[in-house]
Amino acid sequence: MQLYFVIILVFLGIASLLFFLIYLFVPGKTVLEERLGSLSSGRGREEATYFEKPPTPLQKLLGRLGANIPLRVQDYGKYARLLIAAGIKKNKVPVFIGAKVMLAVLFAVAYLIFYGVPFEKNHTTRILFVLIAGIIGFLVPSLWLSREVKKRQTRIFHDLPDVLDLMTVCVEAGLSMDASMVRVCHDTLFKESPLINEMEIALQETRAGKPRAEALRDMGERTMEDDLKSFVAMLVQTERLGTSLAQSLRVHSDSLRVTRRQHAEEAAAKIPIKLMFPLVFFIFPALLFIILGPGVIRMLKTFGNF
């Protein structure tokens, strides 16, 4: 046990020294930057923070670590698409790769310190579990990123029919498609919706000179959401063929609402199967113990007297 505590103290000392070196060598704000920041208006600081937050020292460290990791072009593009679909900027790929490498090392070191060295005596088993811990740490950021992508896609899927209803009302009131999208983006009901953020990006690209069809297709590709891609294809086809935009929006919103209802019914049908495992392994044993426990105790006392 003494060796175990010594290893823990050594690990804490090395970690403290590492963070101290990071604090020393990561450059902070100069005196000129601090004065310029104090002279700038509050509104300008809020806009700068809204568009681009300054990276933290940990993000800088992870970015430097991930930039030194060799990566294939296909893997870089895959991670960049997933980060964009999760609402994270493309230039965060080195930070993401650095987080994967650092977590792999931390998981392996944590296993060695807390279990491998003090308790595990077989070197082969120790090496095997070190590799397993490193693989788990390397995969944790990818699992988190997949979860964030699915969560964002689900929010877009649920917000899309309501957005289409509001666009339909705007188009029937005489607004164009771009004006209706601007009106929807300014609505406070969808202020926190990721779909509105993507529509604002598409509108900004259109104002910058990008063709509307290409900007809308890029919006669908960024989110990797099939329903949004079908909505974009409907808008492009309606504009190309000259059909009624309000009628197309109404039909598409009705079909999306039917799909959303079907997904809700499917999720409700899965509830009994999901409840089976906690009922069998947690609730039923407790009920049996409460119902049959007093009887069993009385029977043991009765037979114990003979």
Side-chain angles (χ1 to χ4, degrees):
M1 295 300 293
Q2 293 180 355
L3 179 62
Y4 176 69
F5 288 112
V6 169
I7 293 173
I8 292 178
L9 291 175
V10 171
F11 173 74
L12 293 176
I14 294 174
S16 303
L17 180 62
L18 179 62
F19 282 109
F20 178 71
L21 292 176
I22 293 172
Y23 178 77
L24 287 179
F25 290 103
V26 171
K29 285 187 176 181
T30 62
V31 178
L32 180 60
E33 290 175 347
E34 291 179 356
R35 290 183 178 178
L36 290 175
S38 63
L39 293 174
S40 61
S41 61
R43 183 179 178 183
R45 285 197 301 270
E46 290 178 359
E47 291 178 353
T49 304
Y50 175 78
F51 287 108
E52 182 67 32
K53 293 183 179 180
T56 61
L58 180 59
Q59 290 178 351
K60 292 180 181 179
L61 176 64
L62 294 177
R64 293 173 185 174
L65 179 61
N68 295 323
I69 302 299
L71 204 65
R72 296 185 304 174
V73 179
Q74 297 86 347
D75 295 334
Y76 188 91
K78 180 184 71 173
Y79 288 133
R81 288 192 299 270
L82 288 175
L83 288 172
I84 293 174
I88 305 171
K89 295 189 177 181
K90 183 179 179 180
N91 56 3
K92 299 296 183 181
V93 175
V95 178
F96 180 74
I97 300 299
K100 292 172 72 70
V101 175
M102 180 169 286
L103 282 180
V105 174
L106 287 179
F107 272 50
V109 172
Y111 164 75
L112 286 175
I113 291 175
F114 295 106
Y115 186 82
V117 175
F119 302 108
E120 185 62 51
K121 304 303 180 184
N122 192 346
H123 295 288
T124 305
T125 306
R126 186 185 300 169
I127 293 173
L128 177 62
F129 278 102
V130 165
L131 293 176
I132 293 174
I135 292 173
I136 292 174
F138 189 80
L139 293 178
V140 164
S142 297
L143 296 176
W144 172 83
L145 183 61
S146 300
R147 181 175 175 272
E148 291 297 319
V149 170
K150 290 180 181 179
K151 186 190 300 184
R152 196 166 187 262
Q153 289 176 347
T154 303
R155 290 191 61 185
I156 291 174
F157 170 73
H158 286 292
D159 292 340
L160 188 56
D162 300 329
V163 170
L164 290 184
D165 288 339
L166 186 55
M167 287 184 62
T168 303
V169 173
C170 294
V171 170
E172 288 179 344
L175 296 179
S176 63
M177 186 172 67
D178 290 340
S180 63
M181 291 177 66
V182 172
R183 176 64 185 83
V184 171
C185 291
H186 290 166
D187 195 286
T188 57
L189 182 63
F190 308 106
K191 183 172 62 174
E192 301 296 333
S193 175
L195 177 60
I196 298 303
N197 296 333
E198 296 296 335
M199 291 177 67
E200 288 177 349
I201 294 174
L203 288 172
Q204 291 174 2
E205 291 177 347
T206 304
R207 292 168 185 167
K210 196 172 187 177
R212 181 192 301 165
E214 187 176 351
L216 293 175
R217 289 194 185 97
D218 291 342
M219 179 179 67
E221 292 296 331
R222 281 195 304 269
T223 57
M224 301 173 65
E225 171 61 31
D226 294 334
D227 295 298
L228 186 58
K229 290 181 181 179
S230 63
F231 164 65
V232 169
M234 183 270 298
L235 287 181
V236 174
Q237 184 178 6
T238 301
E239 185 180 7
R240 183 179 301 173
L241 299 179
T243 56
S244 175
L245 180 59
Q247 184 66 24
S248 300
L249 288 173
R250 182 178 293 106
V251 171
H252 197 74
S253 64
D254 292 339
S255 64
L256 287 176
R257 193 168 284 105
V258 171
T259 304
R260 189 171 63 179
R261 187 183 304 113
Q262 291 175 352
H263 285 186
E265 293 174 354
E266 181 182 358
K270 292 179 181 178
I271 290 177
I273 299 175
K274 293 180 179 179
L275 286 176
M276 183 183 300
F277 297 99
L279 284 173
V280 172
F281 292 104
F282 297 103
I283 299 178
F284 284 165
L287 288 176
L288 290 176
F289 182 77
I290 293 172
I291 295 172
L292 301 179
V296 172
I297 294 173
R298 184 172 297 178
M299 289 176 59
L300 290 176
K301 288 181 178 181
T302 303
F303 287 108
N305 294 328
F306 292 101

